[in-house]
């Protein structure tokens, strides 16, 4: 959690600051949302890997941090950004619900994906495309590795007792969170590099 909090602070430090209204600026608003996700990331990953579920209480902590950051945007004089965040999160929830109805993801994944989309929507569209593209790529890659490993074990002997039973699939929550933090860290690095180039 400390490493993720450090990434969140770094992103907040390089976020361009808007003129503060009611004490809120863009860096502080970004930090609130990202720290909320950092606080629950380790537990969400651990539980989803072990039990294939994302507890509502933990997803709710991330959602609460996103709600606070969205309210701070409105208080800071940036209601358009707050509306964009809400609209894109709603769109992610609708598409996620359709995927869940088709059996492609769980409802915890739908809720977490909507919250993370809302938090990333304050950047550009490429951040959202990178987030969802990377999350899907990670899930497909993990599924391929699992399938190859299971086939390899079966060809040598009977399956190991610790292998996932057929039909359990890949937990998508860790893929969403890994993609989220990769995009956040990448955005921070991009802004930092641009700042250094500007100074030169």
């Amino acid at each position: 959690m400390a490493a993720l909090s450090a990434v969140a602070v770094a992103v907040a430090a390089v976020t361009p600051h808007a003129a503060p209204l009611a004490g809120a600026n863009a860096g502080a608003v970004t930090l609130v949302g990202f720290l909320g996700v950092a606080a629950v990331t380790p537990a969400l990953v651990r539980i989803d890997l072990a039990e294939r579920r994302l507890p509502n209480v933990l997803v709710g902590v991330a959602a609460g941090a996103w709600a606070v950051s969205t309210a701070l945007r409105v208080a800071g004089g940036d209601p358009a950004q707050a509306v964009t965040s809400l609209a894109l999160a709603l769109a992610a929830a609708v598409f996620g619900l359709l995927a869940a109805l088709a059996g492609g993801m769980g409802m915890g994944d739908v809720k977490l994906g909507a919250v993370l989309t809302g938090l990333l929507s304050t950047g550009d569209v490429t951040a959202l495309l990178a987030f969802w593209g990377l999350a899907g790529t990670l899930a497909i890659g993990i599924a391929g590795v699992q399938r190859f490993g299971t086939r390899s074990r079966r060809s040598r002997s009977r399956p190991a007792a610790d292998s996932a039973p057929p039909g359990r699939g890949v937990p998508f929550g860790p893929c969403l969170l890994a993609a989220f933090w990769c995009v956040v860290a990448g955005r921070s690095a991009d802004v930092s590099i641009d700042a250094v180039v500007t100074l030169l």
Side-chain angles (χ1 to χ4, degrees):
M1 183 178 131
L4 298 178
S5 297
V7 170
V9 170
V11 170
V14 297
T15 299
H17 293 275
L21 285 176
N25 63 43
V29 169
T30 300
L31 184 60
V32 168
F34 290 174
L35 284 178
V37 176
V40 296
T41 292
L44 284 171
V45 169
R46 186 176 60 253
I47 292 168
D48 204 13
L49 289 174
E51 303 175 20
R52 300 297 198 270
R53 67 183 190 89
L54 295 167
N56 286 334
V57 171
L58 296 176
V59 175
V61 169
W66 170 52
V68 169
S69 69
T70 302
L72 287 173
R73 284 192 191 287
V74 172
D78 197 1
Q81 194 70 277
V83 169
T84 300
S85 177
L86 290 169
L88 290 172
L90 180 61
V94 168
F95 285 116
L97 181 59
L98 294 174
L101 292 174
M105 62 192 320
M107 288 306 296
D109 300 323
V110 172
K111 292 177 263 189
L112 181 62
V115 169
L116 299 179
T117 296
L119 285 166
L120 289 175
S121 67
T122 57
D124 54 22
V125 173
T126 57
L128 289 176
L129 294 175
F131 165 62
W132 283 104
L134 182 56
T137 301
L138 287 170
I140 290 168
I142 292 168
V145 169
Q146 280 183 343
R147 182 171 293 270
F148 178 76
T150 302
R151 275 194 186 157
S152 177
R153 279 194 300 265
R154 284 184 184 160
S155 67
R156 286 181 282 155
S157 66
R158 61 187 177 89
D162 64 343
S163 64
R168 282 191 77 194
V170 175
F172 195 47
C175 298
L176 287 169
L177 290 161
F180 174 81
W181 288 111
C182 285
V183 169
V184 167
R187 192 166 72 178
S188 173
D190 286 347
V191 173
S192 298
I193 290 169
D194 289 346
V196 169
V197 169
T198 303
L199 290 174
L200 298 176

